[in-house]
Amino acid sequence: MIAMRWAVLAVATVLTLAAFGATGTDLQPSALRVAVTAIVGLLAPLFWPGIGATAARTTLRIVGWSLAAACLAAIALRFAGNHGQPFARILPACAMLMLILLVIHALAAIVEQHWRSKSGNAESSHEMAGRTAALVLALLGAVPLWLGPAAELLARRQAWIIDAVIGVSPLTHLAVASGNDLLRNPWFYQHSNLAALRFSYPSLTTLIATYVAIALILVLAPLAARGPGRPTASTIATTHPATEHVK
Amino acid sequence: MMKRLVLAACASLVLAPSATYAAEATMDPQLREKARRAVDAGLHYLRGQQAADGSVARSVGVTALSLRAFLESHRGYNESDGPFITRQVDFVLSKVQSDGSISESLQNTAYNTAVSMNALAATKNPKYESVMSAARKFLINHQIDEQEGYKPDHRYYGGIGYGGDERPDLSNVYLAVEGLKAASTDPNDPVWKKALVFVNRTQNRSESNDQPWAGNDGGFVYMPGWNPPEQGGGTTSYGGMTAAGLLSLLFAGVDKTDPRVQAAYKWMTVNYTLDVNPGTTGKHGLFYFYNAFAKVMLAYGEPEFTDGKGQKHNWRNELAQKLVSLQSADGSWANKDSNAWWEDKPQLVTAWSVIALEHLLK
């Protein structure tokens, strides 16, 4: 079942990349890395396989699905564009995608578990969790666009606000790992008010440390709290039909 | 390289008296004195902005511009004048990267490298020849060409962007060719020809621009096919880029009589104004324009011109008057009407304004 989900994600990724013209010659290699990882990153939570019967299984799915999505991005990058990208360039971008997805899938698991225990409906909880995770990712990714004007106004007193608004976006994180000056790409330069202002991107080291810390807390805390083999409260009550296949 | 630096130094010594004569002969003496005092006050401000490590505004680019402002002033500052110069040099040198670029981050790598090359060249110190040579190689490698999979018919071909591998623009190309010229790059190096392919594609002149959007007023746009939103987008020529385009043509060795140069110069003079960025109704990038305008008018070498209304203008007097009138009491300049491209930052704008004044005083 996981393999089927991965295949559908792959098809969706290829179609979206083609629709956005990501194979065109105008897209420079670093921007292509951002585009591919961002598209896979947004689509992956929509195909989130759902929580497992135990905390350990849920953790396995979070890690497994995040890794599968990151690998898909790496494969797409190897073959997309004018010529395949070197592995040394692909690795940091896909590693960052993996870290982002670890956090976002862990959040999806928490949301799914919470809604399942409330509503008792496994299927709708599963779908809603994936959609919510994708929506959160999209909203956070676009923060420099929709919070940009407010940040510019506030930055007259507090200059750090611009850096904060840029730094909170997962799209920025993918760009930093891809070696791409995100706001100077043509689209952002034309549509973001922040592109012409003074700003700094967060450092790669800071980002990795932050994501690892958050991911460890979100992924390992439930394990430590419940023990790996014990069924989750929600899964005792109901079992998601779709997840049956991967047990 | 050593020979080139020595030759460049000798040439500047030979040219210096005639250049000084140009400003002396054509400028109002009182205004000339005011401009000199404005330079002194600007340098005083910049000196006060230096951090302990020699940096200005925590930026390689701004520090390099500040350093250049000191080194090209009528005071004739050089490294023997003390730490207020050498600390800035040391800060710039501390940001030399293994790939030859001179920058502190992913952002603005090419921009910072180019302005640092100009500053280091202004030291006239042959000690920095290896740094200059590596920086030159970085800029040449950074140019978009076959190496990156682009063919000559691509609109990005020959261009240079801020850094990394992002899209090129005329502003960065102009700064890069200025840096390459300061580093005495071989005039036969293919980098010039390739740069001209890109520059041609940013001029509104359909005879030399193969892009479908090209108009025919002779002015320049930011990139082949578009301008930044602050300048209204579209493909309308505007002052900052026309000065940058004209400078790029001249730095790349295009003759003054070339129709591309003539068309750009005509646009500059017909649309002349110092109140806004010419060709726009706003003040975005106004000080960038003043800086590039002073450089291009000096490079073009005409003391006076006639505008579109038939009025004669002495560009030195008028630009000096404008800059002196905009200087704050503390010696700084800043764009009070726009924060685009850091023009609200007094350290950057002061360095630009001082360099502009230094050019008109030549």
Side-chain angles (χ1 to χ4, degrees):
Chain A
M1 193 62 188
I2 286 273
M4 182 64 84
R5 281 176 183 278
W6 191 84
V8 177
L9 175 63
V11 172
T13 300
V14 170
L15 290 176
T16 313
L17 281 170
F20 280 96
T23 50
T25 51
D26 271 10
L27 210 57
Q28 70 271 24
S30 69
L32 187 62
R33 290 193 286 278
V34 178
V36 170
T37 50
I39 285 170
V40 173
L42 267 181
L43 291 175
L46 294 175
F47 296 91
W48 155 243
I51 55 175
T54 63
R57 277 192 168 276
T58 299
T59 302
L60 198 65
R61 286 182 184 191
I62 290 169
V63 177
W65 189 238
S66 303
L67 182 64
C71 288
L72 172 64
I75 293 167
L77 280 168
R78 200 76 185 99
F79 297 104
N82 278 345
H83 19 239
Q85 306 222 3
F87 189 66
R89 301 276 185 180
I90 293 174
L91 185 65
C94 293
M96 179 58 71
L97 174 64
M98 163 101 185
L99 288 173
I100 292 170
L101 288 178
L102 275 177
V103 171
I104 214 73
H105 288 146
L107 276 174
I110 291 168
V111 169
E112 186 180 340
Q113 202 155 347
H114 175 71
W115 281 346
R116 198 190 279 197
S117 61
K118 274 199 157 182
S119 69
N121 188 329
E123 196 166 353
S124 70
S125 300
H126 169 227
E127 278 179 15
M128 285 302 288
R131 285 175 198 169
T132 305
L135 183 68
V136 166
L137 206 51
L139 284 174
L140 278 175
V143 157
L145 289 175
W146 58 269
L147 264 185
E152 186 178 353
L153 282 175
L154 294 169
R156 287 175 191 161
R157 289 184 179 179
Q158 306 285 334
W160 59 268
I161 286 176
I162 291 180
D163 286 354
V165 163
I166 292 169
V168 81
S169 164
L171 197 57
T172 302
H173 308 160
L174 289 173
V176 169
S178 301
N180 181 262
D181 190 349
L182 183 72
L183 294 186
R184 298 271 170 55
N185 285 323
W187 192 90
F188 272 96
Y189 203 71
Q190 284 175 303
H191 296 96
S192 164
N193 64 311
L194 300 180
L197 305 182
R198 184 171 186 175
F199 60 87
S200 300
Y201 295 117
S203 77
L204 188 57
T205 321
T206 310
L207 289 174
I208 291 171
T210 310
Y211 271 112
V212 168
I214 297 172
L216 280 176
I217 292 167
L218 290 178
V219 175
L220 297 180
L223 270 182
R226 294 191 197 98
R230 282 187 59 194
T232 55
S234 55
T235 48
I236 294 169
T238 55
T239 307
H240 185 308
T243 58
E244 282 296 295
H245 303 279
V246 287
K247 277 179 190 171
Chain B
M1 182 63 194
M2 180 78 159
K3 270 185 188 171
R4 280 189 205 149
L5 278 172
V6 173
L7 277 174
C10 293
S12 60
L13 281 174
V14 172
L15 290 172
S18 60
T20 307
Y21 176 75
E24 273 179 7
T26 59
M27 267 190 93
D28 172 355
Q30 277 188 333
L31 206 49
R32 199 165 146 261
E33 195 45 43
K34 275 186 187 175
R36 280 169 165 253
R37 282 206 297 271
V39 168
D40 288 337
L43 292 177
H44 180 76
Y45 172 81
L46 287 173
R47 196 168 168 169
Q49 294 299 307
Q50 266 184 43
D53 63 358
S55 67
V56 179
R58 295 175 289 112
S59 156
V60 179
V62 179
T63 306
L65 287 164
S66 162
L67 176 60
R68 182 179 177 183
F70 277 98
L71 296 170
E72 293 187 353
S73 80
H74 60 276
R75 296 286 172 193
Y77 291 121
N78 58 46
E79 287 172 283
S80 64
D81 285 307
F84 70 99
I85 301 289
T86 54
R87 272 197 312 222
Q88 292 185 88
V89 175
D90 291 342
F91 179 76
V92 169
L93 292 175
S94 74
K95 301 300 176 187
V96 173
Q97 307 297 322
S98 56
D99 61 0
S101 65
I102 308 171
S103 191
E104 72 271 64
S105 69
L106 166 72
Q107 293 156 273
N108 311 327
T109 317
Y111 178 100
N112 287 340
T113 303
V115 296
S116 296
M117 285 164 82
N118 280 302
L120 291 175
T123 64
K124 298 185 175 73
N125 189 340
K127 208 167 76 176
Y128 309 128
E129 75 173 79
S130 59
V131 174
M132 294 284 277
S133 170
R136 186 172 60 230
K137 277 181 194 153
F138 169 80
L139 284 183
I140 290 173
N141 281 334
H142 186 55
Q143 186 175 41
I144 287 177
D145 55 15
E146 290 83 356
Q147 233 182 330
E148 288 81 23
Y150 288 83
K151 290 178 182 155
D153 61 352
H154 195 280
R155 66 193 175 113
Y156 286 177
Y157 188 85
I160 289 173
Y162 273 105
D165 61 356
E166 75 272 3
R167 87 292 180 287
D169 61 74
L170 181 58
S171 179
N172 277 296
V173 167
Y174 132 64
L175 289 163
V177 295
E178 188 184 28
L180 289 169
K181 194 170 168 61
S184 308
T185 305
D186 183 351
N188 295 317
D189 193 296
V191 70
W192 302 110
K193 258 191 183 170
K194 291 177 190 173
L196 282 176
V197 171
F198 183 82
V199 173
N200 286 344
R201 288 188 173 130
T202 55
Q203 188 171 21
N204 267 313
R205 186 173 178 275
S206 58
E207 275 184 73
S208 46
N209 184 348
D210 59 9
Q211 300 293 297
W213 54 266
N216 278 303
D217 63 13
F220 282 82
V221 300
Y222 180 71
M223 269 189 68
W226 62 272
N227 283 321
E230 289 84 358
Q231 307 296 16
T235 55
T236 307
S237 307
Y238 68 95
M241 278 312 103
T242 302
L246 184 47
L247 272 169
S248 303
L249 291 171
L250 296 171
F251 286 151
V254 177
D255 194 79
K256 194 175 157 179
T257 58
D258 187 283
R260 291 168 294 175
V261 174
Q262 288 295 309
Y265 185 71
K266 190 179 171 197
W267 191 96
M268 289 281 298
T269 53
V270 166
N271 293 280
Y272 170 75
T273 175
L274 294 175
D275 296 329
V276 292
N277 197 337
T280 74
T281 53
K283 295 190 177 181
H284 298 300
L286 186 59
F287 284 84
Y288 175 100
F289 166 70
Y290 292 152
N291 181 273
F293 177 70
K295 286 181 194 171
V296 80
M297 294 309 282
L298 183 71
Y300 194 81
E302 297 293 334
E304 287 184 338
F305 63 86
T306 306
D307 70 13
K309 293 171 191 159
Q311 281 187 318
K312 270 198 164 187
H313 297 276
N314 178 317
W315 68 270
R316 283 189 171 87
N317 282 344
E318 292 180 21
L319 182 57
Q321 201 148 28
K322 178 55 97 175
L323 284 171
V324 167
S325 74
L326 293 173
Q327 192 172 27
S328 299
D330 64 357
S332 70
W333 283 267
N335 191 333
K336 292 177 174 61
D337 301 293
S338 169
N339 60 356
W341 307 298
W342 302 21
E343 286 213 358
D344 57 333
K345 311 283 180 226
Q347 297 96 336
L348 170 71
V349 177
T350 302
W352 272 351
S353 302
V354 170
I355 293 169
L357 286 168
E358 287 165 356
H359 275 74
L360 66 84
L361 284 168
K362 284 179 185 169

